[in-house]
């Protein structure tokens, strides 16, 4: 017996030890959800908040939120998917809406479909459209880029316009107001970066069209909304109611410095607008102007991204449950991220919460968030296709021609030719 | 007829040109330093004067980033890569020059051809290799592909041409083995070549971005270049904080260059006097 124990004890102990450590490792690893996203102050912080909420009710699940630059997340995701090295991928990844179809179509089977689990009827329809492929819905809709017309009440007041005059106007009216504002105050109506097609995208989607049709084929020369958008930008340029900006920071500078009377962009700019305490009470928000064509609306979108679960993930079930429980249902979570980070989610029910109900003193007591939330449900759904970035480049390349007075139809032809060349 | 003015004009032109070039190369650096002292909003507005936000920016950088860990990661990767690259590639350069044969020349040409392949084309195969070897998200995976550097081998081979064969012969007569010749004769004689190569390899490794980005997967393994990239790509980047990070990231390469400037220039001019 003694001998038996002496010879076997180390082995038994070793076995027990190995077993214990194996268990410990699997217990610790099985429930850690790894997430890739960008922007430490926005997506990363929001995901950490979401993780903390889930861990409270599910103490065995922990989160590892890794932050990379946006381009870096895309590069890593692309490499990981292309190499087929599944263990190199996270469990959840953030993808910008404009690029979503590219990943879904290029890597079939790489992302877990969530239809059946997630109740998509509760989300803004246009966000769901972005992640739908062949009847299956992938991903959890996240932040919205629902657009608004931010305007300086003080400048417009000097020019003789009341907040009512800014509600539900057309772009032609907007240009008239701009000319009046410049005559009375010397301020330009808006900042415009000729190398950024963002405004084209806003206008086009507000009329329910995109660079691509529902089948994903280029939709340029016959695209009434795109044509009207380019015409409008041409009019803005020839009316000279804009302050030219060179790049993003410069463009942001046009309104933070108080040089322009309005901004048309996504709701995520609110934080930057409010970062100027000396401008408190001077801003108002209205729906964006509409194009003067059939199907035109006052609601559109710029940017925004969503969460996707990787099919190869070992924690797939937990990851899906986590997204569904927090992003799919937790109204209180949406209040927190709105208050702390200025993030407007795509869950329509979130508008009933306290943060959305609150009147914002910076905007003179307007219920800004409720207004955005109303618009959110009205954003027309379009198919972003897989070549939005390429199409964007083609449009940007032709914007100077537009400034020089080239007829819009010729510009459209040129854009069409360029896109055809790019996506072959 | 010669007047004074005809002599001054070319000089004026030369100094004007040199001055302009100097300004162009120094300006981003000055802007970086000024930026670190200003709040992000002032930088966007184009403020070009020193501000008062330096302390805030530094404090924010240190709260956002686990500075000791990130610098330790960068230092680990860089030192490993530098030491190993110098050891392996200098041996290879020495070998190619001293022991010539037709086959080796072919091998050498093939190796130089690899300089023509852009890294983007090698990335996915390399990534698969590292994945199969279970090295994803390790610093070893960052270092391994850089060790056999065709450029450094080439550089050492060119410099070895100036290594006097008499020294090697004398050492042989004295009974030194090949590895002893390399270690005790070649390395000390080629000191300035090593110094110059050290600076080049150190800078490349420290600033390396694409490959570490692909193989490193967690916050705990990230190097400084990845951290700065992530800070700068926020929807509203705090440029003041980014500038502080950039300055801190520049310091090690700056220090290495200043300490080894003399050897670097010597190495570039030719190593053996």
């Amino acid at each position: 017996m003694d001998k038996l124990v002496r010879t076997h004890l180390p082995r038994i102990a070793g076995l027990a030890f190995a077993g214990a450590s194996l268990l410990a490792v699997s217990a610790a690893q099985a429930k850690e959800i790894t997430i890739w996203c960008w922007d430490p102050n926005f997506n990363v912080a929001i995901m950490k908040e979401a993780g903390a909420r889930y861990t409270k009710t599910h103490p065995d699940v922990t989160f590892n939120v890794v932050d990379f630059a946006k381009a870096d997340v895309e590069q890593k995701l692309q490499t990981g998917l292309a190499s087929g090295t599944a263990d190199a991928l996270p469990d959840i990844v953030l993808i910008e809406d404009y690029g979503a179809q590219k990943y879904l179509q290029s890597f079939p089977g790489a992302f877990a479909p969530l239809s059946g689990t997630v109740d998509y009827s509760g989300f803004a329809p246009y966000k769901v459209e972005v992640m739908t492929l062949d009847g299956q819905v992938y991903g959890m809709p996240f932040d919205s880029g629902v657009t608004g017309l931010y305007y300086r009440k003080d400048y417009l007041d000097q020019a003789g316009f009341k907040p009512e005059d800014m509600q539900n106007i057309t772009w032609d009216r907007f240009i008239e107001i701009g000319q009046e504002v410049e005559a009375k105050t010397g301020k330009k109506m808006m900042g415009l970066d000729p190398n950024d097609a963002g405004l084209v995208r806003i206008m086009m989607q507000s009329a329910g069209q995109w660079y691509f049709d529902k089948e994903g084929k280029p939709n340029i020369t016959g695209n009434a909304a795109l044509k009207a958008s380019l015409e409008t930008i041409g009019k803005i340029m020839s009316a000279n109611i804009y302050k030219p900006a060179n790049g993003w920071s410069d463009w942001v500078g046009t309104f933070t410095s108080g040089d322009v009377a309005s901004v048309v962009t996504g709701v995520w700019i609110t934080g930057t607008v409010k970062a100027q305490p000396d401008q408190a009470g001077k801003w108002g928000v209205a729906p964006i102007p509409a194009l003067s064509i059939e199907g035109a609306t006052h609601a559109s979108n710029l940017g925004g991204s969503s969460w996707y679960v990787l099919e190869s993930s070992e924690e797939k079930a937990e990851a899906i449950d986590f997204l569904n429980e927090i992003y799919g249902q937790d109204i209180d979570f949406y209040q927190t991220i709105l208050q702390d980070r200025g993030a407007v989610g795509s869950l329509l029910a979130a508008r009933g919460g306290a943060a959305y109900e609150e009147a914002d003193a910076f905007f003179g007591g307007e219920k800004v968030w409720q207004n955005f939330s109303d618009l959110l449900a009205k954003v027309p759904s379009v198919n972003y296709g897989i070549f939005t970035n390429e199409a964007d480049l083609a449009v940007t390349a032709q914007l100077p021609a537009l400034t020089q007075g080239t007829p819009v139809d010729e510009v459209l032809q040129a854009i069409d030719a360029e896109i055809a060349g790019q996506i072959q | 007829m010669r007047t004074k003015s005809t002599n001054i004009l070319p000089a004026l032109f030369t100094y004007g040109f040199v001055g302009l070039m100097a300004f162009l190369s120094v300006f981003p650096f000055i802007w970086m330093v000024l930026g670190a002292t200003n709040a992000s909003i002032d930088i966007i507005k184009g403020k070009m004067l020193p501000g008062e936000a330096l302390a805030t920016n530094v404090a924010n950088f240190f709260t956002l980033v686990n500075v000791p860990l990130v610098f330790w990661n960068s230092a680990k990767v860089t030192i490993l890569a530098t030491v190993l690259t110098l050891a392996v590639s200098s041996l290879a350069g020495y070998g190619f020059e001293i022991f010539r044969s037709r086959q080796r020349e072919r091998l050498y040409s093939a190796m130089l051809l690899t300089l023509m392949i852009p890294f983007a084309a090698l990335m996915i195969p390399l990534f698969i290799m590292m994945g199969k070897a279970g090295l994803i998200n390790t610093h070893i995976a960052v270092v391994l592909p850089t060790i056999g550097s065709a450029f450094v081998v080439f550089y050492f081979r060119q410099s070895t041409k100036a290594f006097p064969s008499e020294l090697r012969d004398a050492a042989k007569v004295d009974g030194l083995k090949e590895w002893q010749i390399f270690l005790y004769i070649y390395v000390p004689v080629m000191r300035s070549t090593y110094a110059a190569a050290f600076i080049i390899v150190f800078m490349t490794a420290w600033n390396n971005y694409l490959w570490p980005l692909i193989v490193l997967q967690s916050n705990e393994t990230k190097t400084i270049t990845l951290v700065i990239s992530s800070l700068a790509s926020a929807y509203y980047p705090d440029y003041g904080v980014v500038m502080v990070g950039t300055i801190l990231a520049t310091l090690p390469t700056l220090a290495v260059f200043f300490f080894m400037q003399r050897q670097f220039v010597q190495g570039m001019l030719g190593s053996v006097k």
Side-chain angles (χ1 to χ4, degrees):
Chain A
M1 177 65 200
D2 206 38
K3 195 179 164 210
L4 195 86
V5 170
R6 227 179 299 147
T7 46
H8 289 279
L9 191 65
R11 204 175 296 169
I12 295 165
L15 250 160
F17 193 72
S21 62
L22 203 76
L23 271 174
V25 165
S26 59
Q29 277 185 346
K31 302 294 167 98
E32 190 186 65
I33 296 179
T34 302
I35 299 158
W36 288 355
C37 54
W38 59 88
D39 197 339
N41 285 319
F42 195 77
N43 301 316
V44 175
I46 288 169
M47 207 32 153
K48 282 186 178 157
E49 165 72 23
R53 275 168 186 265
Y54 191 75
T55 303
K56 243 184 241 167
T57 48
H58 304 76
D60 50 333
V61 181
T62 57
F63 293 86
N64 175 22
V65 185
V66 192
D67 70 284
F68 294 103
K70 175 170 155 274
D72 295 355
V73 171
E74 287 164 359
Q75 176 97 58
K76 287 174 73 69
L77 184 63
Q78 181 88 26
T79 314
L81 289 171
S83 71
T85 313
D87 58 346
L89 291 166
D91 303 305
I92 297 175
V93 66
L94 186 66
I95 299 178
E96 193 180 36
D97 290 345
Y98 293 131
Q101 285 291 326
K102 187 174 81 182
Y103 287 103
L104 292 178
Q105 293 184 27
S106 312
F107 300 103
F111 299 96
L114 307 187
S115 11
T117 313
V118 177
D119 175 16
Y120 284 106
S121 65
F123 289 92
Y126 83 97
K127 284 289 278 194
V128 179
E129 172 79 23
V130 162
M131 51 183 64
T132 305
L133 180 65
D134 299 332
Q136 287 280 23
V137 191
Y138 302 79
M140 171 56 72
F142 177 43
D143 71 317
S144 161
V146 57
T147 50
L149 164 61
Y150 296 74
Y151 59 92
R152 285 288 293 262
K153 286 182 191 158
D154 49 341
Y155 295 164
L156 282 150
D157 192 54
Q158 283 174 44
F161 296 101
K162 297 270 159 282
E164 302 88 78
D165 300 325
M166 304 304 288
Q167 299 295 323
N168 300 325
I169 55 176
T170 62
W171 279 103
D172 292 334
R173 178 69 185 143
F174 176 84
I175 294 169
E176 281 168 29
I177 295 175
Q179 285 169 323
E180 195 73 8
V181 166
E182 193 178 3
K184 297 270 172 61
T185 67
K187 301 281 182 189
K188 296 287 186 189
M189 191 62 173
M190 64 191 296
L192 188 63
D193 179 357
N195 289 313
D196 185 352
L199 193 57
V200 177
R201 272 180 274 153
I202 293 177
M203 290 178 180
M204 185 167 48
Q205 188 169 359
S206 77
Q209 300 271 318
W210 196 250
Y211 299 128
F212 305 95
D213 60 18
K214 296 279 174 204
E215 278 76 50
K217 298 214 173 58
N219 173 25
I220 306 293
T221 45
N223 186 334
L226 178 57
K227 186 177 174 182
S229 308
L230 292 176
E231 276 169 355
T232 306
I233 289 182
K235 282 185 209 162
I236 290 173
M237 285 174 162
S238 56
N240 198 18
I241 57 158
Y242 71 102
K243 185 178 184 205
N246 183 15
W248 173 258
S249 306
D250 201 25
W251 180 79
V252 170
T254 59
F255 58 88
T256 53
S257 62
D259 284 346
V260 298
S262 76
V263 184
V264 173
T265 195
V267 61
W268 31 257
I269 205 75
T270 311
T272 311
V273 173
K274 287 173 76 169
Q276 313 298 317
D278 52 317
Q279 296 175 8
K282 295 177 179 170
W283 285 93
V285 185
I288 62 165
L291 294 169
S292 307
I293 58 167
E294 204 184 322
T297 72
H298 293 279
S300 189
N301 175 73
L302 184 66
S305 34
S306 301
W307 303 105
Y308 293 80
V309 176
L310 274 299
E311 184 69 47
S312 60
S313 157
E314 277 171 34
E315 283 79 36
K316 198 173 84 177
E318 286 86 1
I320 293 173
D321 186 61
F322 155 65
L323 287 179
N324 195 30
E325 194 167 316
I326 304 295
Y327 287 89
Q329 290 154 23
D330 191 341
I331 307 293
D332 190 49
F333 165 70
Y334 281 99
Q335 312 304 311
T336 307
I337 63 172
L338 176 66
Q339 260 163 354
D340 295 355
R341 308 285 162 189
V344 173
S346 320
L347 186 69
L348 296 171
R351 60 162 301 166
Y356 279 82
E357 293 276 4
E358 206 162 302
D360 196 323
F362 189 91
F363 294 100
E366 279 180 52
K367 288 193 176 180
V368 183
W369 305 112
Q370 284 270 298
N371 298 347
F372 273 118
S373 193
D374 290 341
L375 289 168
L376 181 62
K378 295 182 194 155
V379 177
S381 300
V382 295
N383 175 14
Y384 286 147
I386 56 176
F387 294 115
T388 281
N389 292 329
E390 285 78 1
D392 231 35
L393 282 177
V395 171
T396 313
Q398 294 304 325
L399 282 181
L402 197 68
T403 337
Q404 286 150 21
T406 314
V408 172
D409 281 319
E410 271 176 45
V411 174
L412 286 172
Q413 296 277 348
I415 293 172
D416 194 44
E418 198 157 328
I419 291 178
Q422 288 248 15
I423 66 178
Q424 247 151 42
Chain B
M1 198 182 76
R2 288 175 47 153
T3 63
K4 249 189 163 173
S5 65
T6 50
N7 284 339
I8 286 175
L9 221 72
L12 208 68
F13 180 76
T14 311
Y15 279 102
F17 183 73
V18 170
L20 182 74
M21 287 300 133
F23 176 75
L24 284 181
S25 52
V26 175
F27 178 76
F29 197 81
I30 297 174
W31 194 79
M32 171 176 85
V33 174
L34 286 178
T37 68
N38 279 310
S40 192
I41 188 79
D42 289 323
I43 301 174
I44 290 173
K45 285 177 182 167
K47 185 176 168 192
M48 281 306 305
L49 295 167
E52 282 105 43
L54 179 62
T56 333
N57 288 340
V58 172
N60 284 346
F61 182 75
F62 276 79
T63 16
L64 275 171
V65 178
N66 184 349
V67 179
L69 177 71
V70 167
F71 270 83
W72 163 244
N73 288 341
S74 268
K76 192 165 121 191
V77 166
T78 308
I79 292 168
L80 264 177
T82 312
V83 170
L84 291 175
T85 310
L86 286 187
V88 170
S89 300
S90 71
L91 255 175
Y94 176 82
F96 273 124
E97 183 59 27
I98 303 288
F99 308 103
R100 293 197 203 179
S101 77
R102 186 172 294 181
Q103 277 73 24
R104 285 196 193 98
E105 288 306 310
R106 285 204 188 113
L107 193 68
Y108 183 69
S109 313
M111 187 199 74
L112 286 188
L113 272 177
T114 62
L115 282 173
M116 309 277 185
I117 307 171
F119 183 72
L122 300 173
M123 216 162 62
I124 292 184
L126 259 183
F127 187 78
I128 297 176
M129 269 169 65
M130 294 300 162
K132 291 253 160 71
L135 291 176
I136 300 286
N137 201 20
T138 63
H139 288 134
I140 300 294
V142 178
V143 173
L144 274 180
T146 64
I147 292 174
S149 159
F151 172 74
V152 181
V153 173
F154 165 78
Y155 177 67
F156 269 99
R157 181 178 181 172
Q158 292 309 110
S159 303
T160 308
K161 288 189 197 297
F163 179 70
S165 60
E166 294 84 357
L167 272 182
R168 193 168 161 266
D169 295 341
K172 272 200 158 161
V173 171
D174 284 346
L176 260 63
K177 299 200 177 63
E178 202 60 51
W179 67 267
Q180 289 171 314
I181 298 176
F182 180 82
L183 213 58
Y184 300 133
I185 313 286
Y186 180 84
V187 174
V189 167
M190 305 296 279
R191 237 184 0 251
S192 40
T193 305
Y194 274 95
F198 178 85
I199 292 183
I200 295 170
V201 177
F202 184 91
M203 282 191 176
T204 328
W206 183 268
N207 294 328
N208 198 0
Y209 173 68
L210 187 55
W211 179 240
L213 159 70
I214 299 298
V215 281
L216 297 181
Q217 311 274 21
S218 67
N219 290 329
E220 290 70 38
T221 53
K222 282 204 275 183
T223 57
I224 183 75
T225 40
L226 301 184
V227 169
I228 290 179
S229 162
S230 151
L231 285 178
S233 84
Y235 291 126
Y236 304 103
D238 188 332
Y239 289 111
V241 171
V242 173
M243 291 304 159
V244 169
T246 322
I247 291 179
L248 289 178
T250 321
L251 288 180
T253 42
L254 212 63
V256 163
F257 190 78
F258 276 128
F259 278 122
M260 305 186 81
Q261 204 172 17
R262 206 165 51 88
Q263 285 89 339
F264 181 73
V265 175
Q266 273 176 12
M268 284 299 166
L269 291 176
S271 23
V272 183
K273 291 227 175 96

